[in-house]
């Protein structure tokens, strides 16, 4: 697996090579203008702008308007919203998953008829009866369609995306737990260090010189 | 040979990429040093550097009777394999896609083609793996 930043990965998914180039330029320099991106990537300025506006529309980047001191007009400086990338892809996965579930439900509950011509649409059973099993487009005979392959593909993809979402959740939980543990580590170390510190020695008792002791003993005897 | 600052920085990037490419399983320090042809002295310096930047975490473990560290990336890049080439991601009418709209997921041929081709790809991979066995 070749390492690629998540932001660049997403850019590649939504737009291909041009998006990847712009995304890399955005990561390399913070607060960059469209002209700077164009010269760094070798892409035409209109393409760079199209990509930037699309990414801005998807909330993957932010722009701030600043005055160009040389030219005197306003220019936008763009910045990647890297912390938004995870949310963006999770939302996309959920949207796609929802569509796939709807499609599977439809495929499961419906009987389809088709003439075999690629340009013609599939027809539901009710509509096929009304059409006397003749294609509304090419007038060819309509035959029942075996959609088991589509259903198998749908089930496979649903399973794959569901696992993916669950894994991402688990990874996020593990990462936050690790971060918490890392935060607590210095506190634990401090506690340990405090425990390990030697206790201050008790002050030595005042020693009475031997001569005085003898004198005291003698006094006691006399008494 | 002592490495200068630029070389260490370059090495840090390489080491990080290798750790990330091993995913959530992580990689043993010793294996990583072998893979990148590093001395344990330089390798440890780089690993500590990455740990200080919170890019990786090191877990102490016993391997073949010796104490060593296993290195894990703290944050892995998102896995996008499941939605790779999904037509919805590039669809110009995606915002109009609904069950009762003029564009619907139940009639979309792009979705169907994508699903079939990704299933085919998986089946091909399985067949290749079986053939190589």
């Amino acid at each position: 697996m070749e390492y690629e930043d998540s932001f660049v990965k997403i850019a590649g998914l939504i737009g291909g090579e041009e998006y990847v180039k712009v995304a890399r330029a955005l990561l390399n320099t913070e607060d960059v203008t469209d002209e700077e991106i164009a010269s760094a990537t070798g892409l035409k300025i209109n393409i760079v702008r199209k990509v930037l506006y699309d990414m801005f529309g998807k909330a993957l980047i932010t722009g701030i308007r600043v005055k160009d001191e040389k030219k005197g007009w306003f220019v936008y400086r763009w910045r990647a919203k890297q912390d938004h990338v995870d949310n963006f892809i999770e939302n996309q996965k959920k949207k796609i998953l929802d569509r796939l579930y709807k499609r599977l439900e439809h495929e499961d509950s419906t009987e389809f008829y088709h003439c075999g011509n690629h340009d013609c649409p599939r027809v539901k059973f009710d509509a096929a009866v009304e059409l006397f099993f003749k294609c509304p487009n090419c007038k060819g005979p309509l035959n029942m369609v075996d959609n088991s392959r589509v259903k198998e593909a749908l089930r496979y993809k649903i399973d794959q995306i569901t696992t993916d979402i669950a894994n991402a959740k688990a990874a996020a939980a593990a990462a936050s737990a690790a971060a918490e543990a890392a935060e607590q580590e210095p506190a634990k170390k401090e506690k340990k260090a405090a425990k390990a510190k030697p206790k201050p020695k008790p002050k030595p008792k005042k020693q009475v010189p031997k001569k005085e002791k003898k004198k005291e003993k003698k006094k006691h005897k006399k008494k | 040979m002592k490495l200068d600052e630029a070389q260490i920085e370059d090495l840090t990037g390489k080491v990080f990429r290798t750790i990330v490419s091993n995913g959530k399983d992580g990689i043993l320090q010793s294996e990583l040093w072998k893979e990148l042809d590093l001395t344990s002295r330089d390798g440890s310096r780089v690993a500590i550097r990455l740990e200080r930047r919170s890019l990786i975490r090191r877990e102490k473990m016993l391997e073949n009777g010796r104490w060593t560290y296993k290195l894990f990336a703290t944050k892995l890049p998102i896995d996008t394999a499941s939605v790779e080439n999904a037509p919805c991601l590039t669809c110009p009418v995606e915002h109009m896609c609904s069950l009762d709209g003029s564009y619907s997921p139940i009639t979309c041929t792009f979705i169907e083609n994508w699903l079939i081709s990704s299933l085919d790809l998986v089946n091909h991979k399985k067949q290749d793996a079986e053939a190589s066995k």
Side-chain angles (χ1 to χ4, degrees):
Chain A
M1 185 180 90
E2 184 71 21
Y3 173 73
E4 191 70 274
D5 189 276
S6 298
F7 182 71
V8 180
K9 256 187 170 183
I10 301 299
L13 276 184
I14 59 172
E17 196 51 41
E18 287 165 357
Y19 279 63
V20 168
K21 280 183 183 174
V22 173
R24 283 203 187 119
L26 281 162
L27 288 186
N28 286 340
T29 331
E30 217 171 59
D31 295 332
V32 66
T33 64
D34 46 6
E35 284 177 1
E36 286 164 354
I37 295 175
S39 65
T41 55
L43 292 169
K44 282 182 185 172
I45 188 87
N46 58 334
I47 291 173
V48 172
R49 283 186 187 137
K50 193 194 87 182
V51 174
L52 287 172
Y53 296 148
D54 187 25
M55 288 174 110
F56 181 67
K58 290 184 164 79
L60 288 170
I61 56 171
T62 52
I64 45 163
R65 203 175 71 145
V66 289
K67 197 169 184 179
D68 189 322
E69 294 198 354
K70 276 183 195 167
K71 293 168 188 165
W73 61 51
F74 285 102
V75 288
Y76 274 90
R77 292 202 164 271
W78 303 99
R79 183 186 290 194
K81 278 170 81 174
Q82 278 176 281
D83 48 342
H84 191 75
V85 167
D86 289 16
N87 266 342
F88 174 78
I89 198 66
E90 286 310 304
N91 285 341
Q92 290 298 327
K93 280 178 188 171
K94 279 176 192 163
K95 269 189 195 176
I96 294 172
L97 191 63
D98 183 47
R99 287 184 190 129
L100 296 184
Y101 271 124
K102 281 174 184 159
R103 179 74 182 247
L104 181 61
E105 201 185 315
H106 182 67
E107 295 283 337
D108 266 337
S109 60
T110 318
E111 221 171 65
F112 294 103
Y113 286 80
H114 195 244
C115 60
N117 195 340
H118 277 290
D119 300 329
C120 299
R122 288 189 306 179
V123 182
K124 283 186 194 176
F125 176 73
D126 303 345
V129 171
E130 278 174 22
L131 292 163
F132 300 106
F133 293 93
K134 274 188 181 174
C135 177
N137 233 16
C138 67
K139 306 295 174 201
L142 291 173
N143 295 312
M144 203 179 143
V145 177
D146 176 22
N147 62 348
S148 56
R149 200 163 150 66
V150 179
K151 284 197 272 188
E152 187 195 349
L154 274 162
R155 286 199 186 97
Y156 165 72
K157 196 45 91 177
I158 286 172
D159 193 38
Q160 195 187 14
I161 299 177
T162 314
T163 322
D164 216 3
I165 292 173
N167 284 348
K169 263 187 190 173
S176 65
E180 254 178 44
E183 269 177 26
Q184 282 170 356
E185 195 85 333
K188 274 183 187 174
K189 274 184 185 171
E190 271 173 27
K191 268 187 184 178
K192 263 190 182 177
K195 271 186 184 177
K197 265 185 189 174
K199 282 180 187 173
K201 280 180 186 174
K203 281 180 185 175
K205 282 178 188 173
K206 268 189 179 178
Q207 280 184 343
V208 187
K210 277 184 182 177
K211 279 182 182 176
E212 279 180 26
K213 269 187 182 178
K214 278 181 182 176
K215 277 179 187 176
E216 271 179 26
K217 272 185 184 177
K218 276 180 183 176
K219 272 181 187 177
H220 278 290
K221 277 181 183 177
K222 278 177 185 176
K223 278 177 187 176
Chain B
M1 191 184 78
K2 210 178 174 186
L3 296 174
D4 63 29
E5 191 58 29
Q7 280 173 316
I8 288 182
E9 198 52 47
D10 184 40
L11 207 58
T12 311
K14 263 188 203 169
V15 169
F16 180 61
R17 277 192 287 274
T18 317
I19 296 168
V20 169
S21 65
N22 275 278
K24 55 186 174 185
D25 297 332
I27 185 168
L28 280 173
Q29 273 197 162
S30 49
E31 283 173 20
L32 186 62
W33 307 162
K34 263 184 214 166
E35 206 170 297
L36 296 174
D37 198 22
L38 287 173
T39 61
S40 58
R41 179 177 167 274
D42 292 332
S44 305
R45 278 172 73 191
V46 171
I48 291 167
R49 186 179 267 241
L50 284 168
E51 194 183 31
R52 268 199 218 125
R53 290 183 193 171
S54 307
L55 291 170
I56 62 160
R57 67 192 156 82
R58 300 189 304 155
E59 269 179 26
K60 204 175 177 185
M61 56 181 3
L62 201 60
E63 181 76 12
N64 298 332
R66 281 181 172 219
W67 282 105
T68 181
Y69 280 103
K70 202 167 195 183
L71 311 176
F72 301 88
T74 44
K75 197 174 179 241
L76 292 167
I78 328 160
D79 189 5
T80 54
S82 62
V83 287
E84 224 143 82
N85 301 323
C88 306
L89 293 172
T90 50
C91 183
V93 289
E94 192 251 3
H95 58 285
M96 290 192 271
C97 184
S98 67
L99 274 186
D100 26 85
S102 45
Y103 302 100
S104 165
I106 58 173
T107 52
C108 181
T109 47
F110 295 110
I111 289 181
E112 190 178 324
N113 293 342
W114 169 57
L115 291 169
I116 298 284
S117 62
S118 45
L119 185 67
D120 282 346
L121 197 74
V122 173
N123 288 340
H124 276 300
K125 274 184 188 171
K126 270 184 194 170
Q127 280 171 2
D128 286 346
E130 277 170 19
S132 64
K133 274 179 187 175

